[in-house]
Every structure is written in C-alpha cells, then in structure tokens.
Amino acid sequence: MGPETTKTDADQIQWLDVTEARQQTFVAVDTFVRQAVEGGDAKIAPVLTLRVSPGVGKTRAMLNVLAKRGADLLAEGNVLVFTPTLDLADQACRDLKELAPQLPADVYRGRLAPRPGASAGETMCARPELIRLLQGRVPSITEAACRRERGDKQPVIAACHDGCPYMAQLRQDEHRVVFLAHVLLRDHLPIRGPVSLVVIDEQIWSSRAERDALPFDLLDAAPVADFEPEDRLTFDRMTSALRRVFREGGALAAAMAEASVTPEQMMAFAEAELAALPRLVLNPAVPQAEALERARGFDKGPRRHLKIRAEILQAVADNGFAPSQRVRLAQETVDGLPRDVLLHHRFSELPRHAPTLLLDADADPVITERLYPGAEFRRIDVKPDAEIIQISDRTMSPTSLLQGYGEDAGSNARQLRDEIARVIRREADRSDGKTLLVAPKSVLQALREDDSVAEEAELLGTTARHYGPKLQGVNTYRHYSTAILVGRIQPSVNDVEDLARSLFGDRGDSLKLIEGSSAFTEIEAEHLMADGTRINGRCWQHPDPRANALLRQIREASLLQALARLRLTDPS
C-alpha cells in the first residue's frame, strides 16, 4: 500500500517507464543548459525545477549534459553544483571527471572540512579551534584570521596563509566546474569570476529557514550607535512604539506615524546599529595563542542580541510597516522560568545571479514559486517497481515507542519495540543482509539499547539510518532488496508554522494559522494502490496550503526519500 495522497496529487501523476523518463530528464536539462549558454533577453535569470522520481538518474543526466556542454559554459564563467553533503560533492566530481576528463573540475571545501590526503582530523584550515571561536564574533573570518587588505598598502596575512589549501581554492582564476555542499550556498561566494550556471541537487530550503529570539525587555534597550540627541529621541520613540504594538496589538503603521518614524528612518537606525555592534578586534598577524585568548575572552551574547534587534528593525522597515507574521511576541522557558521573547522568523534568500537548475525528487510548486518567482516547474514520475506494505492503523510514533500510553506505559512501549524487532529480524533474514532500516534517531537508539548493540554495529541484521537530509541522494543502498521504515517525522504545529512564517510571513495573503490548537486538521484522503485503484483513508494536514506544503515536505517526503534509497524505479 502506498503513501497517502490527496485526490489532486494522484490526478497530477502521469507515470512513465524508466527509459522514457531518463530520456525526458536528459532533454529537459540539456535544453535548459543550451539556452543558458545561448543567453537571452530575460532581466531575471531563468530557473528550471525538475521533480524527478529517485532512481531515474537526474544527477547523472545533469553530469552528462555538463560533459556535453561544459566547454561552452566555462567559456562564459564558472559552473557551481551544490549537493546535500561534501561526500556527494566528491562523488559527483569524480563522476564528471570520468565522463569529461578534459574539463577542469574540483570540490570546494570549507575551512573545517577534512583535508584530502591528510591524517584523520586534519582540516583545510590549520587553525580549526580559532575558526570555531570566531564564528559569530567577527563580521569576516577571512579578514580576522587569514588575509586583510589595506588599500594600497601591503596586506596583512597570517603565517599559514601561503601554504593554506583553503585559501589556495580562492586564488584560481581559471573557470571551472565547482562542486560544493549545500551549506556553502550564499549570496556572495568566494569563487572568483562570473558564474554561467548554478545547479542545486536535492531540497535545500529547510536549512535556510531560521528563528532568532530577542528577550522582549531588550527591544527598547539603549542603542549602541552614537546618535545625535534628536536622533536618540526618535530611536527611543520608535522602540517604545514597537514594544506597545507587540504587547498590546494595533496597527504598526499607525503607531509609527504617531511616533513620527518612517520606514527609511527605521532602516537607517538598523544599519547604524549593525555597523556599531561590539566586535572582536583581531587581525591575521596576531599570534595563535594571543588570538585564541582574545576570542575566548569575547562575550558574543550582547552582540548577538543587538544584532537580532537590528535585523528585526530591518525586517519591519523593509516591509514598509505592512502587517507581517515574521516577527511576533511569544513566551519561552529559559532556565526553567517563562520569559517573553520577540521571535524573528527569517529566511536566507537564494541567489539568482545566473541560470539555475533545481533537481529535487520531492520538489513542490508552491515552495518553488516562493524560492524563485516565475520559475518553470516540471515533474517526471516513474512508478516504483516493488511490493510496498504499509501499516495503516498505527503511526509508530516516537511517543508510543519510547514512552507508551496507559497505566503501564513503559512496559507497553517496550512490548511494541520487541514486536517491531521480531519483524525486522525476520525480514533481514529473508533478504540475506541487504536490509535498510530507517527510523527516528531516538527510536534507533532505543532499539540498540534493547538489543545491547553498539552505535556502529549492525542493528537486528540491518543497516540502520535515521531520517534526515543526509539520506538525500545517497546511492550506497541501491543494491539492497528490502527497506523497513519505522515511524516517521511528524513535526509539531509550532514547528511547521515557524517554517511557514519564515518563508511566507510577509508574502501575499496572511497565513491561516491554527489558533490555540496543538493538532493538525484531520481530512479524508486516499491510498493509491499499485494497480491504480484508490481506497479511502484519512490524514492530518495544515489548513493553510503553504504551511501544508511544508508539512508534506517534512513528513511524506522523508518517507519517500528513505524508500528511494533502494532505487525502486529500476531495481535491476
């Protein structure tokens, strides 16, 4: 029995055989890249999102197209390929070099990434302890620890600069195909020269949604910038008005008009505050021992809170005082006590400087339109060639498996885990050791403790992995014959709505949030069967379609990603 699906989802699916799907995938990628090479009149860089069933070979199609058109692309600029992990970046780079050894291609590694060919534990940067300490304490790690330019004067450089493999990556002038981990996708990349194409392999949006908390009593704290007396009075009126609106409600625009503050003034105040933030004074010439001492002695807490406040001011001003759901007053528990905090839900926008190709087995059109307005969206679906058995009367939630229910809750939970363990052992015996077990991390830990199994060992005769982004794109288990999925990722209403606020809180119509409820809405749904028929079922969803798209990306997509590690579209 397949995963639950709404009628709309099922009606959208047009199943292809795997050969046709691979051909369509290659043609779609090749056409987009050819048009990118030829250029056009578009004022905004074009974006194509391809939702392709796992196992069809979307990454291989992309690499084949790069092998075919790489020389033309590199004549215009660098090609950047982002993958979920550094390991996948390494694999994709090796695959491209086999397909097109003439193309210059390499993997870009962060400062704390393992150094290729070095001893275990050695990183790209020779000073990893200092780099970790500098994060969040300085505006630029390069200028604080590596190299600082001084106009016409000789630059200040660290003693380890010239032989640093990390810095060597930045000195390459030749256009090349560069493979990078998702975490390195930023607006300003350290890669020299123009970019002719960007490829993002697998889902990336969830890692870019963040939530910052500002203690509410710090909203109207004294500014750090040295304002003139008149500006200081205006700043105080502004923060007092903000405090009143968030505490008591009311229209933000009206409150700011009463305080005689414009969006432009608020933005100027925010930028002045960011420029005046306390910062660690350090330059690359400072000896290592002294640099470590200074970094350890710098308290980044005050800087962090002041930075959050300035960014809240920026967000409010940038929205022109229009209603927004990205900033809100809430109560959180700090050191066991309730405390009012101002939450800022933000999203790191994706750069759109060059033609961009998104390859994602779980891509959603609603989320894609938010990331890249006007992007083209295509889906290519292949029916899984496998027997799928779904238990439909129980969700196997972590609560039922770890805590249990009723008077004898702990015993009930252990009994359920024992029952699951028997099924896992039975299926593992049948598959001759080629069984993948996927479950929440906490459930796997409990099963290991029940069976007295070490973390690195096999679990109940299976290879065990937990749900999460590190399963994306992994081909390690393509020859396995069986996958067992225990439970699923079921985020809370608050978690989903936090993400929705980050992505959609000031975009379009207001979000339809679940007021005063901790549960999603139960609706009628359908199970899509292998023979194409459908049977009635029920599922839980969020009433806002944008929030519901995020919920399905976390819950349903994680299940499909886990199943897809067996490459069920083409088991041969």
Side-chain angles (χ1 to χ4, degrees), residues 274-313:
L274 287 172
L277 288 176
R279 61 190 61 193
L280 174 63
V281 178
L282 198 64
N283 70 67
V286 175
Q288 172 78 348
E290 183 180 346
L292 288 171
E293 183 178 0
R294 288 192 198 179
R296 293 190 185 107
F298 182 82
D299 182 4
K300 66 178 181 180
R303 171 186 169 87
R304 179 176 180 273
H305 286 144
L306 290 166
K307 184 173 183 287
I308 292 173
R309 182 177 68 172
E311 289 174 343
I312 288 175
L313 296 179

Side-chain angles (χ1 to χ4, degrees), residues 156-271:
V156 178
I157 63 173
C160 56
H161 175 275
D162 290 345
C164 175
Y166 172 80
M167 296 302 295
Q169 299 175 120
L170 314 183
R171 295 192 290 269
Q172 298 189 40
D173 294 319
E174 178 188 29
H175 293 166
R176 61 200 194 281
V177 182
V178 185
F179 294 86
L180 313 90
H182 279 177
V183 69
L184 296 172
L185 181 54
R186 299 186 292 263
D187 191 44
H188 299 289
L189 291 165
I191 305 297
R192 287 187 179 180
V195 176
S196 60
L197 178 70
V198 173
V199 179
I200 303 175
D201 198 2
E202 301 295 354
Q203 183 255 94
I204 194 173
W205 64 265
S206 59
S207 63
R208 304 178 74 82
E210 299 182 71
R211 190 190 78 165
D212 293 324
L214 174 71
F216 192 60
D217 55 4
L218 296 182
L219 177 59
D220 54 1
V224 289
D226 186 17
F227 294 127
E228 295 292 333
E230 184 176 347
D231 290 335
R232 171 61 190 272
L233 289 174
T234 304
F235 183 92
D236 290 344
R237 288 199 310 272
M238 174 187 71
T239 54
S240 295
L242 281 172
R243 183 182 180 91
R244 188 168 59 255
V245 168
F246 286 118
R247 175 69 75 187
E248 302 173 6
L252 180 60
M256 289 300 110
E258 184 179 346
S260 300
V261 176
T262 67
E264 292 75 20
Q265 285 177 301
M266 184 180 288
M267 184 64 75
F269 281 133
E271 291 173 352

Side-chain angles (χ1 to χ4, degrees), residues 337-354:
L337 298 174
R339 185 178 188 182
D340 289 339
V341 294
L342 200 58
L343 298 180
H344 180 206
H345 303 272
R346 56 191 179 87
F347 184 78
S348 300
E349 301 292 343
L350 292 165
R352 193 169 182 172
H353 306 319

Side-chain angles (χ1 to χ4, degrees), residues 127-148:
R127 302 194 286 176
E129 183 181 1
L130 177 62
I131 298 304
R132 292 188 181 95
L133 286 170
L134 293 182
Q135 292 173 347
R137 289 178 167 87
V138 296
S140 169
I141 291 180
T142 297
E143 292 190 358
C146 307
R147 179 187 181 95
R148 176 176 294 180

Side-chain angles (χ1 to χ4, degrees), residues 423-501:
V423 173
I424 293 172
R425 285 196 184 93
R426 183 193 69 202
E427 296 302 320
D429 290 342
R430 291 175 177 176
S431 64
D432 194 26
K434 297 294 184 181
T435 300
L436 175 65
L437 171 64
V438 185
K441 185 182 294 186
S442 58
V443 172
L444 290 179
Q445 181 60 34
L447 290 172
R448 288 188 182 280
E449 292 175 359
D450 293 343
D451 205 42
S452 301
V453 175
E455 182 70 27
E456 65 278 1
E458 281 191 349
L459 175 58
L460 304 170
T462 73
T463 301
R465 295 287 300 268
H466 63 80
Y467 293 113
K470 290 188 176 181
L471 270 181
Q472 290 181 331
V474 173
N475 289 319
T476 308
Y477 314 110
R478 63 185 181 276
H479 299 306
Y480 279 37
S481 58
T482 302
I484 301 174
L485 277 53
V486 179
R488 61 182 181 180
I489 298 177
Q490 176 63 57
S492 69
V493 170
N494 285 339
D495 289 342
V496 171
E497 293 190 346
D498 279 353
L499 288 170
R501 289 175 184 273

